[in-house]
Amino acid sequence: MHELSLCENIIDIIKTNAATQAFKKVNVVCLEVGTLSCVEPEALRFSFDAVSKNTLAQHAHLDIIQIPGLAQCSQCCTTHPVENKIDACPQCGHYPLQIIQGEELRVKNLEVE
């Protein structure tokens, strides 16, 4: 379950920001998670609850914004929503498509005290 190590990295980001911005508590962690990122949101929530214990994010709410997959065809130059990295272009059937959105996993913002 790689979500656990991802959450450890999120806590490291929070600690780094707390040191430079002098906050003492995190109320909300807002994440952008791409649907093609191979990250399971519920596993991420579970892991965050476990990893955030005894940290300044201990009771923080994890707000997950899911970013849909979007890809461009190099053959016909059209852009289409995708649910899988190996989808073929629905316009011309060409593949692989170039993924342009949906693989991200980033901390969008923190609500802190």
Side-chain angles (χ1 to χ4, degrees):
M1 180 160 82
H2 67 285
E3 285 84 359
L4 191 60
S5 64
L6 293 172
C7 287
E8 289 171 343
N9 290 335
I10 292 167
I11 296 298
D12 288 342
I13 290 168
I14 291 170
K15 287 178 182 176
T16 300
N17 281 278
T20 60
Q21 298 176 25
F23 56 84
K24 298 192 184 325
K25 182 180 178 187
V26 178
N27 295 321
V28 178
V29 177
C30 183
L31 299 177
E32 292 181 330
V33 179
T35 57
L36 304 174
S37 66
C38 300
V39 173
E40 180 60 44
E42 289 310 309
L44 196 63
R45 287 183 201 285
F46 178 81
S47 297
F48 185 78
D49 286 344
V51 170
S52 66
K53 284 190 186 342
N54 300 318
T55 72
L56 61 160
Q58 182 167 343
H59 297 291
H61 170 72
L62 190 61
D63 184 17
I64 298 175
I65 300 169
Q66 292 210 282
I67 307 297
L70 194 62
Q72 184 174 38
C73 178
S74 61
Q75 187 75 25
C76 68
C77 297
T78 57
T79 302
H80 304 280
V82 291
E83 294 182 16
N84 194 315
K85 290 182 180 183
I86 59 170
D87 285 351
C89 176
Q91 186 76 27
C92 70
H94 180 77
Y95 65 91
L97 300 174
Q98 180 183 358
I99 304 298
I100 55 177
Q101 175 183 291
E103 295 180 308
E104 41 286 279
L105 173 61
R106 70 175 70 100
V107 177
K108 182 177 181 187
N109 60 43
L110 303 171
E111 289 182 21
V112 300
E113 292 180 21

